[in-house]
Amino acid sequence: MPFGIISPQPFDIESRICEHFQSESEEKQMGNIISQLPEKIQKHLQGILSSTSLPQNEESMEILGMNWVAKKDLFESMTKSLSMQETQSCIAEDKRAMLLMTYSGSLVGIGPDRGEGRWMEYASIAQRSDVPGIVSVEDTGLKDAVSVDTGVNFTKGSVKSTSSVFKIAVCAPDVDLAEQEKRVKEAMIFLTNAFVKLNRKSFAAEGETPEQFNMKAMIKFLSGKNNLTQKQAKSILTDFLMLVETGVLLGERVSLGKLGSITLKKRPPRKPRVMKNRFTGQEMTIPAMPERFSPKFSFSKGIKVKAADIKPE
């Protein structure tokens, strides 16, 4: 191993998140987490809360506060594991790779400058989102210095700037640029997955999703969220499904919002044919089928993109 390069220590996402939930529970018993955060962060979280569908109350602020603190701690644990150093600023000419966390909880990985531009990866992980929005730029540069409390400005690419930076982590100057790149890429992968898992645990634990995704559980969830009786929620959901079915059977393209749409597709008639049974090898006759309709579901582009972004576990 080249001089100055330190082998990163193993980082277990699941165990770290469990540790954070245990410590958060203890902190919550000791007092209000939000009140222990700097005023600037409190104001930032208040702004985030106003843009979500969470109830606008102290309990929701506590959820956001615990989630934010856990992300901060995970970032610090990851950078320490990779022997990276925190700094307040880096000049634009600094050739080192950088790992950033913004006040909003997004992650920014910036590759080293080898004289041919830098790569950049931006992972936007909203407080309630369990699917990250990831943007990668292969060739960009820094317009100016990277500093805590200000956004990062890039010379080109689809991401021109970021929100205000909360933390900056870099490798020691004597670490080889290839090793720096490896560490930042590894950190981006682990932290993106960790933040997503953290969101799932944080908000699912506070009743933000049903226990299961069957009719009974969803009716119970909808009734509680919308101050309805379960009978009322069931009636609304049943009527909605009946409307969808009626529209489809009338030949309409029924929109289901962000999910996509469902419609009937005409299938051409099929001639009878002879095939071999793949198990017995015997020939069998497949009867003819007349022209017919069958339902077809078309997923929206948005959900396809989100599904593609989910990393297999």
Side-chain angles (χ1 to χ4, degrees):
M1 182 176 295
F3 176 76
I5 298 179
I6 303 173
S7 177
Q9 298 299 312
F11 189 83
D12 184 345
I13 293 176
E14 293 291 349
S15 63
R16 293 295 174 89
I17 290 177
C18 289
E19 289 173 8
H20 284 296
F21 269 91
Q22 183 177 358
S23 62
E24 283 172 6
S25 178
E26 293 170 355
E27 287 181 27
K28 195 167 184 179
Q29 292 174 5
M30 290 189 295
N32 188 297
I33 287 181
I34 284 293
S35 65
Q36 300 172 30
L37 296 176
E39 185 178 352
K40 181 174 182 177
I41 296 174
Q42 291 185 41
K43 289 182 178 179
H44 187 81
L45 293 178
Q46 186 64 57
I48 291 176
L49 177 61
S50 65
S51 66
T52 72
S53 59
L54 284 169
Q56 305 294 300
N57 55 31
E58 291 183 2
E59 184 178 357
S60 295
M61 281 293 289
E62 279 294 292
I63 296 172
L64 291 179
M66 288 190 293
N67 182 273
W68 190 91
V69 169
K71 287 178 179 177
K72 174 187 75 71
D73 291 345
L74 283 168
F75 182 92
E76 292 172 348
S77 296
M78 184 77 248
T79 53
K80 182 179 179 181
S81 173
L82 293 171
S83 299
M84 299 180 74
Q85 308 164 348
E86 287 195 21
T87 183
Q88 290 296 302
S89 64
C90 290
I91 60 174
E93 294 75 23
D94 192 325
K95 295 184 179 298
R96 289 179 293 177
M98 305 175 194
L99 180 66
L100 318 175
M101 176 179 167
T102 69
Y103 277 97
S104 62
S106 295
L107 296 166
V108 184
I110 303 174
D113 183 359
R114 296 191 176 94
E116 300 176 350
R118 301 173 182 262
W119 59 262
M120 183 276 291
E121 185 172 283
Y122 177 77
S124 176
I125 309 167
Q127 294 289 336
R128 295 189 63 198
S129 173
D130 60 0
V131 180
I134 299 176
V135 178
S136 297
V137 178
E138 292 300 321
D139 180 19
T140 188
L142 297 171
K143 271 190 176 181
D144 39 40
V146 178
S147 302
V148 168
D149 292 332
T150 62
V152 183
N153 299 308
F154 297 98
T155 57
K156 51 186 174 179
S158 55
V159 177
K160 302 299 182 184
S161 61
T162 71
S163 56
S164 295
V165 173
F166 174 64
K167 282 187 174 290
I168 304 170
V170 294
C171 293
D174 59 351
V175 177
D176 180 75
L177 292 182
E179 174 66 16
Q180 292 187 33
E181 181 173 53
K182 178 181 176 182
R183 293 187 193 183
V184 170
K185 284 187 174 181
E186 181 175 329
M188 285 294 294
I189 292 171
F190 274 92
L191 287 175
T192 299
N193 287 331
F195 282 17
V196 166
K197 289 177 183 288
L198 185 59
N199 279 2
R200 289 174 182 167
K201 287 182 178 290
S202 292
F203 300 112
E206 297 294 336
E208 289 302 314
T209 57
E211 294 178 2
Q212 300 179 49
F213 285 87
N214 55 38
M215 283 292 289
K216 184 177 180 180
M218 288 191 289
I219 288 169
K220 181 180 178 181
F221 171 77
L222 289 172
S223 65
K225 186 174 182 180
N226 295 281
N227 296 318
L228 301 170
T229 65
Q230 289 195 34
K231 184 176 180 180
Q232 290 171 324
K234 181 179 180 180
S235 177
I236 292 171
L237 189 55
T238 301
D239 286 348
F240 170 74
L241 294 175
M242 182 63 71
L243 281 173
V244 172
E245 180 183 345
T246 301
V248 170
L249 296 180
L250 287 173
E252 300 287 338
R253 176 178 290 275
V254 180
S255 172
L256 296 178
K258 294 180 179 180
L259 279 179
S261 62
I262 185 170
T263 187
L264 290 180
K265 182 177 180 180
K266 185 182 289 186
R267 303 286 183 182
R270 191 175 68 189
K271 297 178 181 179
R273 62 192 190 279
V274 176
M275 295 181 65
K276 281 190 176 182
N277 187 310
R278 62 174 181 168
F279 297 107
T280 65
Q282 294 181 338
E283 290 188 344
M284 54 189 294
T285 301
I286 306 297
M289 292 191 71
E291 186 178 58
R292 66 207 184 281
F293 286 98
S294 64
K296 178 186 177 183
F297 196 98
S298 299
F299 286 100
S300 68
K301 181 179 179 181
I303 199 167
K304 288 179 181 178
V305 170
K306 289 180 178 179
D309 283 340
I310 298 176
K311 305 292 184 183
E313 297 184 3

